[in-house]
Amino acid sequence: METEFWHGLWETNNLGFHQEQGNPILAKRFNLLEVAPGNRIFVPLCGKTGDIAWLLDQGYKVVGVELSELAIKQLFSGLSLEPTITRIGSLTQYSAPDIDIFVGDIFELNADILGTVHGIYDRAALVALPTDMRTRYARHLINITDRAPQFLICYEYDQSLMSGPPFSIDSAHIRDLYTNDYSVAPVDRIHVEGGLKGLNEAIETVTLLRGKP
């Protein structure tokens, strides 16, 4: 999937994937990840998600990465924060107390730049990627976070009815991507009220991933 595709969505405000008020599953289930407030949560492909405000309100520190600088300018504006902006190689870092967001290609983000993270909240990253990019993404995420535990939200629906993103990703595919490095524990399956982009039948799934010894 080309970067121009995502830039185009933000520039035209075609944000069907964006949840202004955040995801209710986060508040309901995030405690199962067992990462204490004060620790640092990584949100890949974060956009301007309202989930970041929730994490900050709960006392977590947040680090994210996002391709669209427009999204991150809107994120900080929405949080009423004035960021410090620093160029780091091909990435641009937006920082304020308890929050660091890197603007650029996630594959240009390495462990040294990212720093220590204690948990990962993936609601919009894995489901945004086509099949041929997911293995590369999963390996990269494992490497730069040292297998930090993950709270992973995906969707399941009839892929023949919609091209995505978000793409349909079932539990078997999650296991294929992560089972060598994580224990994979399905937590919840929730009917998407009102459907997904016009589809009547869609399931939102929650999976916990914990690094194997």
Side-chain angles (χ1 to χ4, degrees), residues 3 18 127 133 147 154 166 189 207 213:
T3 59
H18 174 66
V127 296
M133 289 185 68
R147 296 186 304 170
C154 291
R189 296 175 57 83
T207 305

Side-chain angles (χ1 to χ4, degrees), residues 114-211:
L114 177 62
T116 299
V117 298
H118 304 93
I120 301 165
Y121 173 56
D122 184 343
R123 183 192 73 81
L126 188 63
V127 296
L129 300 175
T131 305
D132 60 354
M133 289 185 68
R134 288 178 206 148
T135 299
R136 182 187 177 199
Y137 164 78
R139 294 308 315 166
H140 185 63
L141 195 63
I142 289 164
N143 291 335
I144 65 175
T145 67
D146 193 25
R147 296 186 304 170
Q150 291 194 46
F151 186 97
L152 174 63
I153 296 178
C154 291
Y155 293 102
E156 291 183 16
Y157 63 88
D158 184 347
Q159 188 74 82
S160 69
L161 300 178
M162 187 177 79
S163 60
F167 295 98
S168 178
I169 299 177
D170 62 21
S171 58
H173 189 37
I174 294 171
R175 288 194 300 271
D176 287 344
L177 293 171
Y178 287 117
T179 194
N180 287 340
D181 296 271
Y182 287 98
S183 61
V184 179
V187 170
D188 218 340
R189 296 175 57 83
I190 302 158
H191 179 74
V192 178
E193 189 173 349
L196 182 66
K197 287 190 173 182
L199 295 182
N200 291 328
E201 295 297 328
I203 301 295
E204 198 166 14
T205 67
V206 180
T207 305
L208 293 183
L209 308 178
R210 299 192 185 280

